[in-house]
């Protein structure tokens, strides 16, 4: 006779949203020992019956102590969080002991790179990091409609396009959401997250009637670490989709989480919004896998650091891939290898304003003139844009020049010099398609 499996001793490092508490309930109902580590300013735990400890981002020693003292052998990291402002953290001794790791995380860039570093750190200390698929597979989306409504054949074309764009942007560690309507990509998620991406579409709804048939597509980036930061949808996603005038949500099967599934289904049914799980296999294969090679030339007196040059090339790669997918993106903003924002119709000035609010690791780090914006068209580079870039705290501006040797206008370079900005041109490397 085979005995029952031993109860798990599992920590839940909890960010925002309902999922941490929902998962804790499910694990406790199975007889597992659960200890919630609730991140201050993010976690929304309302369950006094579950053992929990409040922790700050920088209290690494406290977290490790709880894991050790409560004999917790596994940890699930779940819930929404923002990167902390380094000026406001409350470090303990464990933080200072882990400073080399912290520095590597700050320099890592995109979310996936940071999260891989977090996993490696805890596993080095003997704690196995588990993913939702390991402990609550029943919360993952399965194939087909979740409720009464489903996508029609026209909408499925939009779904395929959205998931293909997510696939193509994977090498750049960009967000997990794309909105498509009648073949037009209306929004690409940057550092702002899905809800804020949808909220900015609300203001554009009145002037874009085709929003009424649009779809939010969400899926993991190919090659993404699947134990942390899986795409998630819940009732609030449906509310935002409806407010934006979209008709549905399509997500990747087996790797997208549902929060409050029954409420999600009922809310979608009442709103007439379809929620559908889509198998990625064939859709992912349709996306091109070629890589982008770009060369950079800096003009004027201001020089670009190695990090800033890398950010320019990364932003240029994003714009090149989107152009190959037929997406009319005018600009992107990149800060320390993290793609903050991508313009898809709201205007370049708007994404510069938005990116200032999305600065990573706090205002002090952001305002050291570290970020760059990359423009798809040199005609957008004028004195007004230079002024806005300087106000936002960017270090410089790069312009896609394609395969042209055309230089940037001298008056533009001189104005950039006055404002402390570098100006660069990006051309396609050998063999890169136009």
């Amino acid at each position: 006779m085979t005995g029952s499996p031993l109860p798990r001793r599992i920590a839940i490092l909890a960010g925002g949203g309902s999922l941490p508490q929902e998962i804790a309930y499910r694990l406790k109902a199975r007889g597992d020992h659960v200890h919630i580590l609730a991140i201050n300013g993010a976690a929304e735990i309302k369950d006094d019956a579950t053992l929990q400890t409040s922790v700050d981002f920088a209290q690494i020693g406290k977290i490790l102590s709880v894991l050790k003292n409560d004999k917790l052998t596994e940890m699930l990291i779940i819930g929404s969080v923002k990167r902390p402002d380094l000026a406001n953290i409350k470090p303990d001794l464990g933080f200072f002991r882990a400073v080399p790791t912290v520095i590597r995380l700050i320099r890592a860039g995109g979310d996936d790179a940071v999260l891989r570093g977090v996993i490696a750190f805890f596993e080095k200390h003997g704690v196995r990091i588990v993913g939702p698929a390991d402990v609550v597979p029943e919360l993952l989306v399965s194939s087909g409609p979740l409720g009464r409504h489903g996508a029609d054949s026209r909408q499925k074309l939009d779904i395929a396009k959205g998931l293909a764009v997510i696939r193509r942007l994977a090498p750049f560690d960009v967000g997990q959401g794309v909105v498509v309507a009648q073949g037009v990509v209306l929004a690409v998620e940057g550092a702002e997250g899905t809800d804020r991406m949808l909220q900015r579409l609300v203001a554009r709804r009145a002037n874009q009637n085709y929003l009424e048939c649009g779809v939010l597509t969400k899926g993991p980036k190919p090659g993404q670490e699947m134990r942390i930061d899986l795409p998630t949808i819940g009732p609030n996603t449906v509310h935002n989709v409806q407010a934006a005038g979209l008709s549905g949500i399509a997500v990747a099967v087996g790797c997208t989480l549902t929060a409050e599934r029954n409420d999600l289904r009922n809310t979608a049914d009442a709103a007439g919004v379809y929620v559908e799980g889509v198998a990625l296999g064939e859709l992912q294969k349709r996306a091109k896998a070629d890589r982008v090679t770009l060369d950079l030339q800096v003009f004027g007196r201001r020089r670009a650091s190695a990090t800033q040059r890398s950010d320019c090339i990364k932003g240029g790669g994003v714009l090149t891939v989107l152009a190959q997918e037929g997406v009319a993106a005018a600009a992107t903003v990149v800060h320390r290898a993290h793609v903050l924002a991508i313009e898809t119709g709201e205007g370049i000035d708007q994404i510069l304003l938005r990116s200032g609010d999305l600065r990573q690791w706090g205002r002090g780090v952001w305002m050291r003139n570290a970020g760059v914006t990359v423009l798809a068209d040199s005609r957008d580079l004028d004195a007004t844009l230079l002024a806005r870039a300087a106000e936002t705290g960017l270090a410089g501006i790069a312009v896609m020049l394609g395969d042209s040797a055309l230089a940037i206008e001298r008056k533009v370079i001189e104005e950039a010099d006055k404002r402390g900005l570098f100006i660069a041109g990006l051309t396609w490397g050998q063999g890169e398609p136009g």
Side-chain angles (χ1 to χ4, degrees):
M1 178 181 294
T2 303
S4 299
L6 292 174
R8 295 179 117 126
R9 300 191 65 83
I10 185 167
I12 297 178
L13 185 58
S18 63
L19 269 177
Q21 186 166 297
E22 185 176 349
I23 292 172
Y25 283 154
R26 289 174 179 269
L27 294 177
K28 287 177 63 181
R30 297 172 193 170
D32 294 332
H33 175 78
V34 178
H35 192 139
I36 296 176
L37 297 170
I39 299 174
N40 291 327
E44 306 168 37
I45 306 300
K46 302 173 183 178
D47 174 25
D48 294 333
T50 301
L51 183 61
Q52 56 185 286
T53 302
S54 295
V55 297
D56 189 78
F57 276 104
Q59 292 179 318
I60 297 174
K62 183 177 182 180
I63 294 172
L64 293 177
S65 178
V66 170
L67 295 172
K68 180 180 179 180
N69 293 338
D70 201 15
K71 298 180 173 58
L72 301 164
T73 58
E74 298 177 308
M75 184 161 70
L76 175 71
I77 303 175
I78 196 77
S80 59
V81 294
K82 295 181 179 179
R83 300 190 191 195
D85 186 335
L86 296 181
N88 297 326
I89 61 174
K90 301 173 182 177
D92 61 10
L93 182 59
F95 176 89
F96 292 108
R97 288 173 174 165
V99 162
T101 297
V102 173
I103 292 173
R104 285 196 296 271
L105 292 179
I106 292 172
R107 293 176 174 173
D111 290 339
D112 195 54
V114 171
L115 294 174
R116 287 179 187 276
V118 170
I119 288 174
F121 174 81
F122 283 111
E123 293 200 328
K124 184 178 71 174
H125 285 82
V127 178
R128 176 174 175 254
I129 302 299
V130 295
D134 300 313
V135 294
V136 283
E138 67 272 21
L139 294 184
L140 297 173
V141 174
S142 56
S143 183
L146 180 65
R148 293 198 307 265
H149 308 289
D152 61 28
S153 57
R154 181 186 62 180
Q155 292 163 342
K156 287 181 178 178
L157 293 175
D158 284 344
I159 292 169
K161 186 176 184 68
L163 292 173
V165 170
I166 292 172
R167 162 67 178 83
R168 288 297 313 281
L169 290 175
F172 307 102
D173 201 0
V174 182
Q176 303 166 326
V178 172
V179 176
V180 185
Q182 295 183 357
V184 177
V185 173
L186 300 179
V188 178
E189 181 182 338
E192 77 273 40
T194 302
D195 287 344
R196 288 183 63 182
M197 174 186 69
L198 291 171
Q199 288 161 10
R200 74 172 184 263
L201 285 177
V202 174
R204 296 168 56 188
R205 179 179 180 183
N207 298 322
Q208 295 176 309
N209 293 328
Y210 52 68
L211 277 173
E212 295 296 340
C213 62
V215 59
L216 165 67
T217 57
K218 283 180 71 72
K221 296 159 277 192
Q224 173 184 327
E225 169 56 66
M226 299 297 284
R227 287 174 287 177
I228 307 183
D229 195 33
L230 285 185
T232 302
I233 58 172
N236 195 52
T237 314
V238 175
H239 291 310
N240 286 329
V241 160
Q242 186 180 27
L246 307 180
S247 58
I249 303 167
V251 297
V253 165
C255 45
T256 304
L257 285 166
T258 55
E260 305 171 76
R261 182 179 287 240
N262 289 336
D263 286 346
L264 167 63
R265 180 189 298 110
N266 293 337
T267 302
D269 285 347
V273 171
Y274 68 83
V275 178
E276 190 152 338
V278 181
L280 289 182
E282 290 303 314
L283 293 176
Q284 295 285 45
K285 291 176 183 177
R286 293 177 195 172
K288 300 175 184 177
D290 51 303
R291 301 299 296 268
V292 176
T293 304
L294 295 168
D295 296 324
L296 181 78
Q297 180 181 359
V298 178
F299 304 95
R301 295 197 308 269
R302 298 288 175 174
R303 298 293 91 190
S305 69
T307 297
Q308 291 157 1
R309 294 174 72 92
S310 178
D311 284 349
C312 290
I313 291 172
K314 187 168 194 174
V318 169
L319 293 179
T320 299
V321 163
L322 289 174
Q324 291 170 350
E325 290 294 322
V327 181
T332 185
V333 178
V334 185
H335 173 240
R336 297 184 186 275
H338 195 188
V339 178
L340 299 186
I342 299 172
E343 194 281 338
T344 51
E346 68 265 46
I348 297 172
D349 191 62
Q350 288 300 308
I351 73 159
L352 293 183
L353 289 170
R354 176 155 49 93
S355 65
D357 186 44
L358 296 171
R359 53 189 175 271
Q360 303 302 294
W361 309 111
R363 188 174 182 85
V365 174
W366 167 262
M367 293 304 289
R368 290 176 192 162
N369 293 347
V372 303
T373 187
V374 184
L375 308 178
D377 191 334
S378 62
R379 290 172 293 185
D380 291 322
L381 182 58
D382 57 20
T384 300
L385 183 63
L386 289 170
R388 177 66 73 189
E391 290 169 7
T392 309
L394 297 179
I397 300 174
V399 180
M400 298 295 297
L401 300 178
D403 55 2
S404 170
L406 179 66
I408 308 296
E409 291 184 9
R410 171 52 55 185
K411 64 179 182 180
V412 171
I413 297 173
E414 292 174 350
E415 180 65 21
D417 286 341
K418 292 177 184 177
R419 294 190 175 276
L421 299 166
F422 72 80
I423 296 293
L426 287 163
T427 55
W428 292 313
Q430 187 174 3
E432 177 60 36

